[in-house]
């Protein structure tokens, strides 16, 4: 039987010190001793990426994007070499590679490059030589000639090592893709806020994508997308303990189970309302075009029914962008002859997520009823096929999460988890 091929990714907190790197190396050594071929993708140690960003910020307010990517990529170079050395110290054959050496090519967008192709010839060759291959995550190399330029080092956006791992797992047709992190897996709600939150044993790609987009910080959104498109099963698990994690995969049991799988929340939200804007064609464009040009992400747009030829228009923006949004909108308010602009940074989003929601009437009513009984006022609502999201007062967030967790019986195990637990690893 050919040896199985495993891709493992270790996040920054799992590599934050020399001791932790040694610990990670021991775990890698164990998997290797069981006979698996191993590709290990690493993030930068601890807060290295943030530290490098502030260092650049201390030099100049406007760092050159190419130089910034060259700088940020060094964080992952460090950890890759150190993990490799730690394996050598344990007598395990290993070699570190940069993203470019691992064959990851990207487009040329610095700071948020997208992977164009993975050609893991060198990775394969090193595996054949008996090496554990340590790949620096979060980076690639743009193709020479892309817009006439040279091949350059690029980075994939914050949290991008997850994407490196899933892309390599897809290209190498790995048997497993494991994301080691500082939590045990995916939970029905944030266990720091909801004491009886339960770890899920399995979750569908679509549901995980929503949870990631809605603020669950365990995995990068793009990595989940990439796994979904390529059918890579992804296991999220703790690097600090040996406990079963959560498997993200196509979910065959969608029809059979509790339709709400989990709650997500996001505090990084602010609400903007334009008061009494004229109710005529072109107004929405006048408001949202300048916001888009300023690169401000707008979400959850609600326009009320007009009265007296005017209407209120509300939407949310990331909290950190509220100031900029106000700056962009003040002239627009004047231009349109709207009554004014109000903002509220003290809101939060709470969502119920489940793949079966759209064909199961009654979930919305239950969510709203539960929030009402808990005395939580709903300020805005939006829905998709797999989620319902409410904007509420941030101070009421924990109460809302607890009430919803109880109302949808999320502490109770459901068939998906039982099935996943029964499946051989
Ligand atoms: N080190 C990068 C970051 O902090 C990439 C990663 O951790 O995945 O965003
Ligand atoms: Mg990180």
């Amino acid at each position: 039987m050919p040896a199985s091929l495993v891709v493992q990714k270790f996040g920054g907190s799992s590599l934050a010190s020399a001791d932790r790197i040694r610990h990670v190396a021991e775990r890698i050594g164990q998997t290797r001793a069981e006979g698996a071929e191993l590709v290990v993708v690493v993030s930068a140690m601890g807060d290295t990426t943030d530290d490098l960003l502030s260092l650049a910020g201390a030099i100049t307010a406007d760092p050159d994007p190419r130089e910034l990517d060259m700088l940020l990529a060094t964080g992952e170079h460090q950890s890759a070499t150190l993990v490799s050395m730690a394996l050598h110290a344990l007598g395990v054959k290993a070699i570190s590679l940069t993203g470019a050496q691992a064959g990851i090519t990207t487009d040329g967008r610095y700071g948020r490059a997208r992977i164009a192709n993975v050609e893991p010839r060198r990775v394969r060759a090193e595996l054949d030589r008996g090496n554990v291959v340590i790949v620096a995550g979060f980076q690639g190399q743009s193709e020479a000639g892309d817009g006439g330029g040279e091949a350059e080092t690029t980075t994939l956006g914050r949290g991008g090592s997850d994407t490196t791992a899933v892309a390599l797992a897809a290209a190498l047709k790995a048997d497993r893709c494991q994301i080691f992190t500082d939590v045990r897996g995916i939970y029905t709600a944030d266990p720091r806020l909801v004491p009886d939150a339960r770890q899920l044993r399995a979750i569908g790609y679509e549901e995980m994508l929503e949870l990631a987009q809605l603020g669950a910080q365990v995995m990068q959104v793009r990595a989940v997308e990439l796994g979904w498109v390529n059918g890579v099963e992804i296991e999220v698990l703790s690097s600090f303990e040996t406990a079963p994690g959560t498997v993200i995969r196509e979910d065959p049991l969608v029809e059979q189970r509790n339709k709400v799988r989990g709650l997500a929340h996001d505090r990084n939200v602010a609400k903007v309302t334009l008061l009494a804007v004229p109710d005529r064609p072109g107004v929405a464009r006048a408001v949202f075009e300048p916001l888009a040009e300023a690169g401000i992400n707008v979400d959850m747009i609600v326009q009320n029914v007009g009265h007296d030829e005017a209407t209120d228009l509300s939407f949310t923006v990331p909290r950190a962008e509220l100031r900029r949004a106000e700056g962009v909108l003040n002239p627009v308010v004047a231009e349109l002859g709207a009554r004014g602009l109000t903002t509220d940074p003290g809101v939060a989003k709470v969502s119920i997520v489940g793949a079966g929601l759209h064909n199961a009437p009654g979930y919305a009513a239950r969510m709203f009823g539960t929030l009402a009984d808990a005395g939580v006022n709903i300020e805005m609502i939006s829905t998709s096929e797999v989620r319902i999201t409410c904007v509420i007062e941030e101070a009421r967030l924990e109460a809302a999460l607890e009430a919803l967790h109880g109302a949808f019986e999320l502490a109770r195990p459901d068939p998906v988890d039982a099935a996943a637990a029964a499946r051989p690893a």
Side-chain angles (χ1 to χ4, degrees), residues 9 11-12 43-44 46 49-50 76 137-138 157-162:
K9 179 254 169 176
S43 293
T49 307
D50 289 323
E76 273 71 10
F138 170 62
R158 298 307 304 267
S161 303
D162 291 339

Side-chain angles (χ1 to χ4, degrees), residues 267-272 315-320 322 343-347:
R267 296 178 192 271
N268 180 22
V269 203
K271 181 177 158 187
V272 177
F315 50 90
T316 58
V317 296
R319 210 172 277 177
L322 180 57
T343 59
D344 183 356
V347 295

